[in-house]
Amino acid sequence: MDISGRHEESGEYLMVAAAVHASVDTTRLESVEGMGFATSRNPPAFEHAAEVVADAVAELPEPPEGPVVAERGEFYEEPELRVEQFLGPSFKYVESIAERETVQAAHHAAYAARKLFL
């Protein structure tokens, strides 16, 4: 997952979260099974970021079988257990190349979706 737009523009915030449900092996993203999106106009804070991500994950066509994965900065480097309490499904920070590629796909999706809202 990834969030785009955690900065103020013209006196407003618009965070767009993209959740990517993907099949991966240890070295690459194999296929994208679906995507979920959510938006928030709340100012960036841990609770708001976790809420918009939980909403995006809930919009996936099917619940994830594995953990939700993100870069540490998305949740202000909060401990994984604290993030997981907000999201519901299991959560972890990026560890493998495939996870990094999946987060990169979510980044592109969130950025593109945000541009549609502006």
Side-chain angles (χ1 to χ4, degrees), residues 22-54:
S23 295
V24 300
D25 64 19
T26 57
T27 60
R28 67 184 182 94
L29 180 131
E30 292 181 329
S31 66
V32 172
E33 308 297 327
M35 292 185 179
F37 295 91
T39 62
S40 172
R41 294 206 175 267
N42 290 317
F46 170 75
E47 290 80 8
H48 298 149
E51 182 178 279
V52 74
V53 167

Side-chain angles (χ1 to χ4, degrees), residues 2-112:
D2 187 76
I3 301 172
S4 180
R6 291 191 297 175
H7 52 279
E8 184 179 347
E9 284 187 25
S10 303
E12 296 183 326
Y13 292 99
L14 175 59
M15 291 189 289
V16 177
V20 174
H21 183 185
S23 295
V24 300
D25 64 19
T26 57
T27 60
R28 67 184 182 94
L29 180 131
E30 292 181 329
S31 66
V32 172
E33 308 297 327
M35 292 185 179
F37 295 91
T39 62
S40 172
R41 294 206 175 267
N42 290 317
F46 170 75
E47 290 80 8
H48 298 149
E51 182 178 279
V52 74
V53 167
D55 291 347
V57 170
E59 290 297 315
L60 288 169
E62 295 181 28
E65 295 171 17
V68 173
V69 179
E71 296 285 350
R72 287 191 170 276
E74 295 297 353
F75 295 106
Y76 307 95
E77 299 192 26
E78 289 286 338
E80 291 174 340
L81 184 57
R82 180 156 191 247
V83 176
E84 192 172 289
Q85 290 171 340
F86 276 83
L87 298 184
S90 61
F91 174 80
K92 70 177 196 167
Y93 288 116
V94 171
E95 295 175 355
S96 72
I97 294 168
E99 290 168 352
R100 188 165 309 283
E101 286 182 356
T102 305
V103 168
Q104 187 68 19
H107 171 78
H108 289 294
Y111 181 75

